[in-house]
Amino acid sequence: MKNMKKIILFILIFLSVNVFTEKITFILDSPEASTVFLRTDINKFKPIKLEKSISGLWKTTLEATPGNYLYIYYIDGIRTKDYKNNEFDYYNDEFYNIRKIEKTYYPIIGDNKIKYLKHENERFYINPVNENLVYLRVKVSKNDIKDLNIQSNADILSKKIYEIDNEIVYEFKLKIKSNELKYRFLIYDGGEIIYGYNKSDEFYTLNMNRPKISYFDTPSWAKGEIIYQIFPDRFRNFINTNDDFDAPNWYGEYNKDELMFKSFGGDLKGIENSLDYLSDLGIKGIYLNPIFSANSTHKYNTKDYFKIDPSFGTEKDFEDLLEKSHNKDLKIIIDGVFNHTGIDFFAMKENFEKQENSKYLDWYYIKNFPIKENPNSYESWQNYASFPKLNIDNKEVKSYISRVLAYWTSMGIDGWRLDAVDQIPNYFWNDYFYHYVKQLNSDLLITGEYWKNSKNYFEYPSFDSVMNYLFKDAVVNYSKGGSANELVNDLQYYLNRYPQQVLNTLWNLLGSHDTRRIFTELDEDIEKLKIAVGIQMTFIGSPVIYYGDEIGMTGENDPFCRKPFIWDEKTWNKQINDYYKKLIKFRNQNDALKYGDIKFLEVKIGTVVYERSFKDEKVIVLINNKKISPKINLKLDGVYTDLISEKKYEHVEKVNSNTIMILYK
């Protein structure tokens, strides 16, 4: 019995020390101090020495039961109050700051309490598309509440619930009916809790004439449409007079040096004379890798931003391409390289020639003299001396870029794809580029090249779209045999973080001039390719086809992914080409695939089922990348036909191994 009492006493002491106390950290920013001590009634005002971190902050962590505590600092022996804390009191006629320790709240559903609700002045939370449409989001702790709704003077078009980083997000799509949006949140958690402005029951207000977060929408023509990427030198050679005398054989045995450094003769007239092919394929936009004058095959080292490279043709050739493309309702997007120029660009050329006497030294980031073609002489892209980095903060540089943008916009282009956007500070894109381009033509599409999470680029915004390498990585990994859960998690990662209005405009690629070709990446396995292309053509976003993928072209990483297009149809992979054409035609005929929402219905081992819906249209996609076929028991709301097998279904119990089904009514 005595031993039992001792055990109980030990447990009570342990609980009193470890369960009912909270950790509290005191931090003081005083990098010049030699010593800092803390006196607090947590330990009856006994001096506690703070430790200095590498950053210069002084810290100490204590434990105490919840309550209000007095404290004061002693910096190098001098009694000093915490100027960042306005809470204070007097004890024994001496000033002390007050530190409040609150009991840790552990969320429990149904306790009629909330740990927190996040609704901040960021586009993630408040996202005005236009004067008639707004998306609102809130975050709450996981396992804290039963449900949450919105009270508003707007019509609620939809409500979504999903999880991000152990928090639950509630998203509402609202149709606005007045110049001032009013709303607050109603929480259900064992009772009803109203959460409004400043944690009160007052309504949040949003002036729709001048919203605190700017309106942001993407060009309607770009939503859900298929883009075709062309590397101009390697697509089609139509005019031989502008070819290099030593141009390699278009269909020859290619070697690395030829593919990297030799011009094969592709030109703008070749693209123009392929418009029937592209139109019949079903694409709606053409993205051209750089076409401005440059001494390379890739043209990313610009020599003259106002001239078409002579190997591609003339400005008149480009005008003809624009006119004839537009006549076929095809858009033209060109590549813009504003992070760097080539060494033959007039400003950099003068820097080499006149050194310290050049007028253009401040157009770049010169490190030392004499200026040589060497990364030690000036800042350059990826330390390649042939790509000297522009000083975009220079007013003359910005004025030059403005003239470039205005010139090509006046010629009739439909958009810009921007190279290496992460090499330039966000404020250049946010504060200048996006607004200037939209002033020239609000319908121009602006797409940034960024390979990671692009959420920050849509905040103010910077771009309408990005090259969606997150999609590529997720789909390629799954097509190789990755798990269904991993695919869905990777896709939802950006779907749940980006503004809803950009999702249909994201460039969903499977390969590009910077990657292995998709057929090569998938070991030339047609069944795997069908899965990847099937997802690409049915997913939310704008599919981007890298030239030649639709005929089964292969190629390792740069430069082997840049081989010339094979125009001899006898060599095409007809099975792949027919599959592309079938899916492209189907996508173009179904608004659900171009504009619709997406909802995941089933995720099991290697099987993924998702639904695309728009108004009364619905398409259901079922994929299995494994050899086994788990049961899924999907009951359909009617009779559906599989686009691939042409079989009819009212109920699907499994998806065969390494198969994709695309069901429609």
Side-chain angles (χ1 to χ4, degrees):
M1 182 64 73
K2 288 182 178 180
N3 287 337
M4 181 60 71
K5 288 181 178 179
K6 288 181 180 179
I7 292 172
I8 294 172
L9 180 62
F10 175 79
I11 292 172
L12 290 173
I13 293 172
F14 177 83
L15 289 173
S16 66
V17 174
N18 294 284
V19 177
F20 301 116
T21 61
E22 304 288 341
K23 287 186 177 181
I24 179 173
T25 300
F26 290 86
I27 301 175
L28 180 68
D29 185 4
S30 185
E32 304 301 324
S34 299
T35 62
V36 176
F37 285 85
L38 171 75
R39 289 181 182 268
T40 171
D41 57 352
I42 291 175
N43 69 340
K44 299 182 179 179
F45 297 107
K46 294 177 182 179
I48 300 169
K49 187 176 182 180
L50 275 67
E51 299 295 328
K52 189 177 184 180
S53 66
I54 297 175
S55 64
L57 297 176
W58 296 83
K59 298 180 181 180
T60 189
T61 300
L62 307 176
E63 289 190 359
T65 56
N68 293 336
Y69 292 92
L70 304 175
Y71 72 96
I72 198 74
Y73 292 113
Y74 283 81
I75 302 176
D76 294 334
I78 300 174
R79 198 173 192 276
T80 307
K81 67 180 180 179
D82 185 350
Y83 289 96
K84 293 183 179 180
N85 184 356
N86 294 324
E87 299 293 325
F88 64 91
D89 201 354
Y90 287 87
Y91 176 72
N92 289 339
D93 295 327
E94 289 188 305
F95 177 95
Y96 287 90
N97 290 108
I98 296 175
R99 185 67 178 271
K100 185 176 182 180
I101 303 178
E102 295 183 343
K103 182 179 178 181
T104 301
Y105 170 69
Y106 297 97
I108 301 173
I109 293 177
D111 63 357
N112 205 31
K113 295 179 182 178
I114 57 171
K115 185 175 184 179
Y116 60 80
L117 182 146
K118 295 179 183 177
H119 183 64
E120 301 169 5
N121 288 329
E122 300 174 8
R123 189 171 298 281
F124 179 85
Y125 297 98
I126 303 172
N127 179 22
V129 179
N130 52 50
E131 63 274 13
N132 300 314
L133 183 63
V134 173
Y135 290 93
L136 297 176
R137 286 169 169 155
V138 295
K139 283 183 181 178
V140 296
S141 179
K142 188 177 179 180
N143 298 322
D144 190 14
I145 66 173
K146 289 183 176 179
D147 197 9
L148 182 147
N149 279 320
I150 191 169
Q151 296 178 332
S152 172
N153 62 341
D155 291 335
I156 303 171
L157 301 179
S158 67
K159 172 185 174 181
K160 295 181 181 178
I161 307 171
Y162 45 89
E163 183 178 338
I164 296 180
D165 298 334
N166 216 35
E167 294 180 307
I168 303 301
V169 178
Y170 290 84
E171 177 185 290
F172 300 93
K173 181 180 181 181
L174 303 181
K175 182 180 179 181
I176 310 304
K177 299 188 294 185
S178 67
N179 292 330
E180 184 176 67
L181 172 63
K182 294 185 177 183
Y183 63 94
R184 63 186 183 184
F185 303 104
L186 180 60
I187 301 166
Y188 304 96
D189 189 40
E192 292 186 355
I193 304 171
I194 292 176
Y195 194 104
Y197 176 72
N198 203 22
K199 300 182 182 181
S200 70
D201 59 359
E202 293 184 24
F203 284 89
Y204 291 93
T205 59
L206 185 64
N207 184 343
M208 297 307 298
N209 292 322
R210 297 185 65 184
K212 48 191 154 188
I213 308 294
S214 63
Y215 290 133
F216 171 39
D217 201 1
T218 59
S220 58
W221 67 262
K223 294 180 187 290
E225 299 292 6
I226 301 171
I227 307 295
Y228 191 88
Q229 179 185 352
I230 290 177
F231 197 79
D233 182 59
R234 309 292 162 82
F235 186 62
R236 192 170 191 175
N237 185 356
F238 193 78
I239 299 178
N240 296 324
T241 55
N242 60 2
D243 294 352
D244 289 348
F245 72 92
D246 59 347
N249 184 346
W250 190 271
Y251 294 102
E253 291 292 329
Y254 313 110
N255 63 57
K256 185 175 182 179
D257 284 345
E258 285 180 341
L259 290 170
M260 286 187 71
F261 303 116
K262 293 289 186 179
S263 172
F264 279 74
D267 47 44
L268 296 180
K269 284 298 179 184
I271 299 171
E272 179 187 323
N273 282 273
S274 304
L275 291 178
D276 285 343
Y277 166 78
L278 295 172
S279 184
D280 291 344
L281 184 63
I283 62 101
K284 298 297 180 182
I286 301 170
Y287 153 47
L288 301 175
N289 284 101
I291 56 175
F292 304 153
S293 177
N295 294 322
S296 66
T297 59
H298 52 70
K299 311 302 179 191
Y300 280 98
N301 54 335
T302 313
K303 178 181 179 180
D304 191 335
Y305 287 84
F306 290 96
K307 288 187 177 179
I308 299 294
D309 191 88
S311 67
F312 295 158
T314 65
E315 283 70 46
K316 177 63 168 58
D317 292 336
F318 185 61
E319 289 176 348
D320 290 344
L321 175 61
L322 284 171
E323 181 182 358
K324 294 186 178 180
S325 296
H326 291 162
N327 288 342
K328 290 183 174 293
D329 199 25
L330 296 174
K331 306 292 186 180
I332 298 291
I333 300 106
I334 62 175
D335 216 320
V337 187
F338 301 113
N339 174 67
H340 51 267
T341 68
I343 57 174
D344 293 321
F345 182 67
F346 77 92
M348 195 64 195
K349 194 173 181 181
E350 181 169 313
N351 288 340
F352 284 123
E353 293 172 352
K354 296 186 178 181
Q355 298 288 321
E356 291 95 335
N357 296 320
S358 171
K359 295 183 295 183
Y360 301 104
L361 294 176
D362 196 40
W363 278 47
Y364 296 89
Y365 298 95
I366 306 300
K367 295 179 181 179
N368 51 58
F369 295 95
I371 304 172
K372 301 178 181 179
E373 188 182 338
N374 189 300
N376 294 324
S377 282
Y378 47 84
E379 295 288 339
S380 57
W381 177 79
Q382 303 289 351
N383 246 18
Y384 288 103
S386 54
F387 301 103
K389 184 175 176 61
L390 277 171
N391 177 9
I392 52 88
D393 291 320
N394 182 304
K395 291 182 180 179
E396 292 179 356
V397 172
K398 195 172 288 185
S399 176
Y400 179 86
I401 293 173
S402 295
R403 285 186 281 121
V404 171
L405 298 173
Y407 178 76
W408 295 104
T409 300
S410 68
M411 196 170 285
I413 65 166
D414 301 291
W416 291 93
R417 178 269 190 189
L418 302 169
D419 183 61
V421 298
D422 60 320
Q423 304 296 305
I424 297 177
N426 280 18
Y427 61 77
F428 174 82
W429 307 117
N430 297 341
D431 299 338
Y432 158 67
F433 191 93
Y434 179 88
H435 294 289
Y436 184 76
V437 169
K438 294 298 183 177
Q439 287 172 6
L440 293 172
N441 183 351
S442 61
D443 219 24
L444 284 184
L445 177 69
I446 306 175
T447 300
E449 181 213 8
Y450 190 56
W451 294 46
K452 300 177 183 179
N453 177 8
S454 302
K455 175 178 175 289
N456 289 341
Y457 287 120
F458 301 126
E459 177 68 25
Y460 293 105
S462 302
F463 317 123
D464 298 309
S465 178
V466 291
M467 297 187 75
N468 196 6
Y469 281 95
L470 296 183
F471 171 87
K472 171 195 173 294
D473 293 344
V475 173
V476 169
N477 179 64
Y478 173 76
S479 301
K480 288 181 174 181
S483 75
N485 271 317
E486 190 175 3
L487 171 69
V488 174
N489 289 340
D490 288 345
L491 294 172
Q492 286 186 324
Y493 177 85
Y494 71 83
L495 290 176
N496 293 340
R497 286 169 171 80
Y498 292 0
Q500 290 296 311
Q501 62 269 39
V502 308
L503 298 183
N504 285 307
T505 318
L506 295 173
W507 279 17
N508 291 344
L509 66 157
L510 293 176
S512 73
H513 62 292
D514 289 322
T515 70
R516 300 172 82 199
R517 283 192 175 271
I518 183 60
F519 197 31
T520 300
E521 186 69 40
L522 298 177
D523 301 321
E524 298 186 30
D525 186 317
I526 289 184
E527 298 311 314
K528 291 179 180 178
L529 182 71
K530 285 183 176 180
I531 287 175
V533 175
I535 297 173
Q536 182 190 36
M537 292 298 164
T538 58
F539 208 71
I540 187 169
S542 291
V544 178
I545 302 170
Y546 185 49
Y547 78 97
D549 281 349
E550 78 279 10
I551 61 172
M553 283 183 63
T554 59
E556 294 290 340
N557 282 313
D558 173 21
F560 295 99
C561 56
R562 303 177 181 183
K563 291 183 288 189
F565 188 96
I566 304 168
W567 286 101
D568 181 1
E569 294 189 31
K570 295 190 297 292
T571 66
W572 291 6
N573 189 313
K574 193 171 186 308
Q575 186 178 356
I576 291 175
N577 189 235
D578 288 346
Y579 186 72
Y580 263 94
K581 289 193 290 188
K582 186 172 191 173
L583 265 64
I584 291 171
K585 181 179 179 181
F586 183 72
R587 181 181 180 89
N588 288 335
Q589 292 173 342
N590 284 271
D591 287 348
L593 297 181
K594 292 199 290 185
Y595 315 123
D597 291 332
I598 186 165
K599 181 180 180 181
F600 290 97
L601 304 178
E602 186 82 42
V603 183
K604 198 171 187 180
I605 308 178
T607 298
V608 178
V609 182
Y610 57 85
E611 174 186 288
R612 300 294 311 282
S613 60
F614 182 77
K615 296 181 179 178
D616 295 330
E617 258 187 34
K618 188 186 295 183
V619 175
I620 300 173
V621 181
L622 306 92
I623 323 147
N624 181 16
N625 70 345
K626 303 293 186 185
K627 292 181 180 179
I628 60 173
S629 301
K631 291 184 179 181
I632 58 173
N633 193 29
L634 179 67
K635 295 180 179 178
L636 304 172
D637 60 338
V639 178
Y640 282 73
T641 301
D642 177 20
L643 176 71
I644 309 301
S645 68
E646 299 182 356
K647 293 180 180 178
K648 298 190 180 299
Y649 294 89
E650 292 183 78
H651 179 215
V652 181
E653 294 184 343
K654 68 175 184 177
V655 184
N656 292 332
S657 63
N658 298 312
T659 298
I660 181 167
M661 303 168 65
I662 303 172
L663 306 183
Y664 66 97
K665 279 188 176 181

